[in-house]
């Protein structure tokens, strides 16, 4: 009888072992299938000097094999003590099934892993995964973008990398481990930090709701820095769901105000219909199609082209646009890339908003930056074309040489037009609305833009979006800086909240920090800053 009992016992064990073996094969298949979804490795992203902007680190994720769990109630109870956020009843039901594999929590901490390990629960295990880490946190968030829980790019350069072939490699079973060639960007981390830092200071100083900053190399089209605040920390992807943290630099489209006078002036001069010495009557407002066009600081006298630009005359600018005509205006703005969506390596971009019917009134308002909305990046790229000798160069976040840029460049204005625009912008900083953008020794030039925001279908005179478009050094421009500050408040009571009072000094603060980093040698004595500088110097 003892032999029979022991025989039955061993027979039962043998059957159970066979069952476990068969179930184990099935479970291994399920685990293997799940393993194929484990976050694959991504290449590092580095800045122009090789500094790491994004990299992979190893992390652990928690999974369950419900078929192997002995007591689902106990397992659910113990796991809920480590992860209080778990729904205990739902977890108990999931663990009591006959499933082969179940993810419980991705990317757990080392402390959580140790606590689970010490519980010794059968059917509970860990998988090593790749997790994306951004050492700079939010410093370059809108450029880098972010990834999902499976380490797949869903925004910014991260998505560009996937769309450029990485996702295909992963689908084919390749590139699952580290060791891939880094992805180099044109972004200079030092410049990027300076831009973001100064924008953050400006938001606090002027109590604004948002700020944007862009730095371009006008010879190559490379983006050296781009920041949009409020931003987010890509190490915490949940922040990306906040609509206030959108990338305003490339996605947002706005009326850019008087910065558009830069393009209107260049258009007029390049057409040959307007000359630098021409005079336009700005003694009184312009009446057109039932609307009245005023000057913010009216001088009530005829103005030369340089005076129109420096004093930011709406009336004078409008009359120059009318002199050129609607078809030529449309053609010129189209050449500068201001009428079509701008495409870069970043998948996020906004299409311009332009009038359905380009009327005479539309032409006038567009001449000084109202009635058309474009992205700040489009504005910066168009401005660069007027500074580099007259060539439109598509922007890029990847390294590009001047020779490579030359193959992509197309002429949009004559060299002499570009030279005149450089002189006008320099004069505006010396004598006009951009005086607070001056940085001694670095020969800054620029144009202010104060645009009233549309609220409930009407322009609100107490809500503005201010901009300053600048370049330096103006004798041979190499870098362009655009700053936009959304709804700034007066720094002191009684002072205006115009672009010259906030966007211009913010631009100066950025240039003061980045110029030495970029190797721009300051002039100890600048002849432009002498008392003899006059409007005639532009002619």
């Amino acid at each position: 009888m003892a032999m029979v009992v022991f025989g039955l016992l061993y027979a039962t064990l043998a059957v159970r072992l066979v069952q476990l073996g068969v179930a184990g094969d099935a479970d291994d298949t399920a685990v293997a299938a799940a393993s194929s979804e484990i976050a694959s490795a991504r290449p590092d992203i580095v800045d122009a000097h090789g500094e790491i902007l994004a990299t992979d680190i190893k992390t652990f994720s928690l999974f369950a094999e419900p078929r192997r769990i002995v007591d689902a109630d106990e397992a659910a109870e113990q796991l809920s003590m480590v992860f209080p956020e778990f729904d205990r009843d739902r977890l108990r039901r999931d663990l009591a099934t006959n499933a082969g594999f179940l993810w419980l929590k991705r990317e757990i901490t080392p402390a959580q892993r140790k606590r689970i390990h010490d519980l010794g629960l059968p059917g509970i295990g860990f998988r090593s995964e790749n997790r994306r880490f951004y050492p700079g946190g939010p410093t370059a968030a809108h450029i880098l973008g972010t990834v999902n829980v499976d380490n797949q790019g869903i925004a910014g350069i991260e998505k560009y990398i996937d769309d450029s072939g990485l996702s295909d490699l992963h689908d084919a079973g390749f590139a699952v481990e580290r060791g891939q060639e880094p992805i180099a960007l044109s972004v200079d981390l030092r410049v990027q930090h300076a831009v973001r830092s100064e924008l953050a200071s400006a938001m606090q100083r002027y109590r604004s709701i948002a700020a944007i900053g862009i730095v371009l190399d006008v010879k190559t089209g490379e983006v050296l820095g781009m920041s949009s605040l409020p931003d987010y920390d890509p190490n915490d992807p949940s922040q990306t769901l906040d609509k206030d943290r959108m990338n305003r630099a490339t996605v947002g489209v706005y009326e850019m105000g008087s910065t558009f006078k830069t393009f209107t002036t260049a258009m007029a001069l390049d057409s040959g219909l307007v000359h630098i010495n021409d005079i336009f009557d700005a003694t009184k407002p312009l009446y057109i199609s039932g609307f009245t066009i005023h000057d913010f600081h009216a001088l009530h006298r005829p103005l030369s082209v340089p005076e129109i630009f420096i004093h930011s005359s709406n009336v004078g600018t409008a009359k120059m646009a009318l002199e050129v005509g609607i078809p030529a205006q449309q053609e010129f703005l189209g050449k500068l890339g201001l009428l079509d969506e701008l495409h870069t390596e970043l998948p996020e971009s906004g299409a311009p908003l332009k009038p359905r019917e380009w009327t005479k009134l539309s032409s006038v308002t567009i001449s000084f930056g109202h009635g058309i909305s474009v992205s700040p990046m489009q504005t910066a790229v168009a401005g660069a074309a007027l500074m580099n000798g007259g060539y439109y160069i598509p922007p890029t976040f990847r390294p590009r040489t001047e020779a490579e840029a030359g193959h992509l460049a197309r002429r949009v204005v004559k060299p002499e037009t570009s030279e005149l625009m450089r002189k006008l912008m320099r004069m505006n900083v010396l004598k006009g609305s951009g005086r607070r953008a001056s940085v001694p020794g670095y020969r800054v030039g620029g144009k202010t833009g104060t645009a009233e925001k549309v609220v409930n279908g009407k322009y609100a005179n107490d809500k503005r979006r201010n901009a300053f478009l600048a370049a330096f050094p103006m004798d041979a421009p190499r870098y362009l800086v655009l700053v936009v500050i959304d709804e700034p408040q007066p720094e002191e009571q009684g002072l205006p909240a115009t672009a010259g009072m906030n966007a211009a000094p913010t631009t100066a603060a950025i240039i003061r920090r980045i110029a030495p980093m970029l190797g721009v040698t300051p002039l100890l004595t600048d002849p432009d800053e002498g008392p003899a500088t006059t409007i005639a110097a532009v002619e």
Side-chain angles (χ1 to χ4, degrees):
M1 289 179 64
M3 291 176 62
V4 170
V5 170
F6 278 103
L8 291 174
L9 176 62
Y10 282 113
T12 301
L13 291 175
V15 171
R16 182 57 180 158
L17 286 173
V18 171
Q19 291 176 340
L20 289 175
V22 174
D25 291 341
D27 291 347
D28 289 342
T29 301
V31 173
S35 297
S36 66
E37 300 177 2
I38 289 177
S40 299
R42 303 179 63 82
D44 289 347
I45 302 177
V46 299
D47 84 332
H49 302 287
E51 295 291 332
I52 292 180
L53 303 175
T55 189
D56 279 354
I57 59 174
K58 286 294 184 181
T59 186
F60 287 92
S61 293
L62 180 67
F63 72 89
E65 297 174 87
R67 291 177 181 176
R68 300 191 180 200
I69 292 178
V70 176
D71 189 334
D73 289 337
E74 180 190 9
E77 182 78 19
Q78 297 287 351
L79 291 172
S80 297
M81 294 177 63
V82 180
F83 300 104
E85 67 272 21
F86 281 1
D87 184 331
R88 189 175 302 180
D89 292 335
R90 180 178 178 181
L91 179 61
R92 184 182 296 108
R93 290 194 301 269
D94 290 341
L95 297 181
T97 66
N98 201 35
F101 186 90
L102 174 68
W103 282 119
L104 296 180
K105 189 173 181 62
R106 308 291 286 272
E107 298 179 0
I108 64 176
T109 67
Q112 291 170 334
R113 178 176 182 270
K114 184 177 186 305
R115 289 182 63 185
I116 295 295
H117 179 270
D118 291 346
L119 293 175
L121 296 173
I124 302 296
F126 309 94
R127 288 284 173 180
S128 175
E129 291 196 273
N130 295 296
R131 177 189 175 191
R132 205 59 164 167
F133 177 64
Y134 303 88
T139 302
H142 286 114
I143 297 175
L144 298 174
T146 189
V147 299
N148 61 17
V149 70
D150 293 316
N151 224 26
Q152 298 167 337
I154 57 175
I157 291 294
E158 295 283 23
K159 181 166 175 53
Y160 161 77
I161 294 173
D162 280 48
D163 293 344
S164 298
L166 182 64
S167 59
D168 293 335
L169 288 176
H170 286 166
D171 291 342
F174 299 103
V176 294
E177 295 298 334
R178 296 290 303 275
Q180 302 168 65
E181 189 72 21
I183 302 296
L185 302 185
S186 60
V187 175
D188 186 322
L189 184 57
R190 303 168 304 169
V191 172
Q192 179 68 24
H193 173 74
V195 171
R196 185 180 184 276
S197 173
E198 293 301 334
L199 291 181
S201 297
M203 284 185 65
Q204 182 177 11
R205 183 176 181 181
Y206 306 114
R207 304 182 302 284
S208 66
I209 63 172
I212 304 162
I214 297 171
V215 179
L216 285 179
D217 185 322
V218 304
K219 297 291 187 182
T220 64
E222 293 172 297
V223 179
L224 305 182
M226 185 195 81
S227 187
S228 172
L229 299 181
D231 53 15
Y232 61 90
D233 186 346
N235 293 308
D236 182 6
S238 64
Q239 295 182 8
T240 62
L241 302 177
D242 186 345
K243 62 181 179 60
D244 291 331
R245 299 175 188 269
M246 64 173 281
N247 179 5
R248 292 171 167 82
T250 62
V251 177
V253 292
Y254 313 107
E255 293 185 345
M256 296 301 294
S258 292
T259 55
F260 248 64
K261 292 174 183 173
T262 309
F263 311 132
T264 302
T265 304
M267 172 190 70
L269 294 172
D270 202 64
S271 70
L273 299 173
V274 175
H275 302 280
I276 195 71
N277 297 317
D278 287 352
I279 304 293
F280 291 85
D281 186 10
T283 56
K284 57 184 178 180
L286 177 64
Y287 301 98
I288 185 167
S289 301
F291 291 86
T292 304
I293 309 300
H294 297 275
D295 279 342
F296 186 71
H297 292 296
L299 297 179
H300 302 293
R301 63 177 176 82
L303 301 174
S304 66
V305 172
E307 287 176 322
I308 290 171
F309 188 83
I310 291 167
H311 296 294
S312 201
S313 169
N314 293 337
V315 174
T317 304
K319 289 187 173 182
M320 286 195 292
L322 293 174
E323 186 74 21
V324 175
I326 293 175
Q329 183 185 40
Q330 291 175 308
E331 180 185 2
F332 187 80
L333 295 180
K335 288 194 301 183
L336 289 180
L338 296 169
L339 301 183
D340 299 299
E341 186 174 346
L342 177 65
H343 296 284
T344 67
E345 290 86 357
L346 303 188
E348 301 83 19
S349 64
L353 301 177
K354 51 194 176 184
R356 293 181 180 179
E357 183 181 357
W358 207 293
T359 64
K360 194 174 182 180
L361 179 61
S362 299
S363 176
V364 165
T365 58
I366 287 171
S367 73
F368 50 80
H370 287 77
I372 186 171
S373 297
V374 300
S375 72
M377 182 62 76
Q378 284 179 291
T379 306
V381 175
L386 303 183
M387 296 293 102
N388 64 13
Y391 292 98
Y392 181 89
I393 302 174
T396 182
F397 289 86
R398 300 297 307 276
R400 180 193 286 163
T401 65
E402 286 191 46
E404 292 169 337
H407 292 298
L408 301 172
R410 52 182 172 82
R411 179 168 291 284
V412 290
V413 298
K414 304 166 187 173
E416 49 268 31
T417 302
S418 177
E419 183 178 357
L420 285 173
M421 293 310 301
R422 293 198 296 265
K423 290 181 178 180
L424 286 172
M425 290 181 72
R426 177 62 175 147
M427 187 64 60
N428 192 45
V429 168
L430 292 171
K431 302 292 183 180
S433 59
R435 289 189 295 272
R436 287 179 174 80
S438 179
V439 181
Y442 288 109
R443 296 147 288 165
V444 179
K447 182 70 185 78
T448 52
T450 302
E452 293 179 346
K453 296 178 67 173
V454 177
V455 179
N456 297 324
K458 297 181 179 180
Y459 286 105
N461 56 17
D462 61 340
K463 292 183 182 294
R464 300 180 177 89
R465 185 178 289 108
N466 295 347
F468 194 81
L469 180 67
F472 72 99
M474 290 308 290
D475 54 332
R478 183 62 194 250
Y479 303 105
L480 180 136
V481 180
L482 174 65
V483 168
V484 181
I485 302 181
D486 198 350
E487 292 190 23
Q489 304 303 311
E491 187 174 7
E492 297 178 15
Q493 189 173 2
L495 292 178
T498 56
M501 300 296 292
N502 39 63
T506 302
T507 303
I510 291 173
I511 293 174
R512 191 175 294 112
R513 289 182 62 175
I514 70 174
M517 302 174 186
L518 297 173
V520 180
T521 304
L523 292 180
L524 297 179
T525 57
D526 189 345
D528 289 346
E529 297 179 356
T533 303
T534 64
I535 297 294
V538 179
E539 300 175 6

